């Protein structure tokens, strides 16, 4: 795999409070990183405009909005997100919402990702939320539903990537957060895996936030993770 192809599989999570900090992160990482995730924290601090700036500069953007609403609202939101030129968008993997989003994005290059079970959740968390399934079972059910809906990929913990790959086949994206370099602290994530192990398990893209963004030398941290990925 070429260095450029490898970089396209690493998505750095810009989970920072301001656009100014995000700009600094992107500047420090330079050509080492070509793909960035923007989630709630940055989105509500000017990050949606910043997403457009990243796209204009040649970077790829994963907009992590985890949409879920009535069909028409999801569809109208997706129609406008398509116009932003971002590469990936998340929505919760509910069948009706996924079908509405797929129809709204038809003909575009936007890869729609179904969020299965958040990597911060374990079995007790799901019980508390009223679900009858354990995380692994629910992930597999939602993977099947996402495939049936025509989604572009799945978001799941790397620990579920191998089982999900068997369901969705070779073509769909499997994007895995909760990635931690060997020896790193898991933080608030409950289902984590190293970069090499995640790719070896079937993940197509790895989302890495704090291990890079909070590092004293961000570019070196990113390059170390890319080196781990190259060993997969």
């Amino acid at each position: 795999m070429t260095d450029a192809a490898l970089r396209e599989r690493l998505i750095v999570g810009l989970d920072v409070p301001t656009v100014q900090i995000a700009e600094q992160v992107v500047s420090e990482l330079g050509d080492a990183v070509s793909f960035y995730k923007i989630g709630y924290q940055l989105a509500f601090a000017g990050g949606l405009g910043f997403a457009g700036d990243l796209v204009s500069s040649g970077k790829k953007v994963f907009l992590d909005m985890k949409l879920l609403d009535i069909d028409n609202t999801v569809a109208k939101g997706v129609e406008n997100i398509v116009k932003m030129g971002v590469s990936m968008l998340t929505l919760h993997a509910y069948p009706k919402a996924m079908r509405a989003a797929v129809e709204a994005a038809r003909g575009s290059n936007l890869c729609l990702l179904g969020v299965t079970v958040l990597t911060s959740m374990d079995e007790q968390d799901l019980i508390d939320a009223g679900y009858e399934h354990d995380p692994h079972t629910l992930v597999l059910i939602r993977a099947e539903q996402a495939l049936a809906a025509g989604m572009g990929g799945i978001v799941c913990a790397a620990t579920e990537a191998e089982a999900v790959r068997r369901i969705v086949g070779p073509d769909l994206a499997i994007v895995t957060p909760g990635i931690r370099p060997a020896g790193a602290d898991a933080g608030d994530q409950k289902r984590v895996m190293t970069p090499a192990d995640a790719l070896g398990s079937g993940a197509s893209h790895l989302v890495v936030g704090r291990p890079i963004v909070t590092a004293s030398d961000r570019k070196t941290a990113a390059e170390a993770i890319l080196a781990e990925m190259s060993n997969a």
Side-chain angles (χ1 to χ4, degrees), residues 82-217:
V82 165
K83 298 172 186 176
M84 295 174 63
V86 301
S87 297
M88 289 179 168
L89 169 71
T90 52
L91 57 148
H92 281 290
Y94 286 58
K96 287 190 71 180
M98 291 191 291
R99 290 194 295 268
V102 167
E103 186 59 34
R106 195 174 303 281
S108 76
N109 293 321
L110 179 62
C111 178
L112 296 170
L113 302 171
V115 177
T116 54
V117 178
L118 301 177
T119 54
S120 61
M121 300 183 75
D122 58 18
E123 185 167 4
Q124 186 58 51
D125 294 321
L126 288 182
I127 292 171
D128 292 343
Y131 289 96
E132 61 179 313
H133 300 293
D134 63 88
H136 185 75
T137 301
L138 185 56
V139 166
L140 299 189
I141 290 171
R142 288 182 166 171
E144 291 174 350
Q145 292 170 334
L147 179 65
M151 296 283 282
I154 294 294
V155 179
C156 66
T159 51
E160 281 109 30
E162 185 174 2
V164 168
R165 182 60 72 194
R166 288 196 294 268
I167 290 172
V168 303
D171 298 329
L172 264 67
I174 296 181
V175 180
T176 57
I179 300 299
R180 294 291 182 268
D185 182 67
D188 61 357
Q189 304 283 3
K190 295 183 178 177
R191 293 164 13 251
V192 301
M193 191 175 278
T194 66
D197 287 345
L199 291 178
S201 295
S204 62
H205 297 76
L206 311 183
V207 179
V208 183
R210 280 165 286 188
I212 291 175
V213 172
T214 65
S216 57
D217 185 333

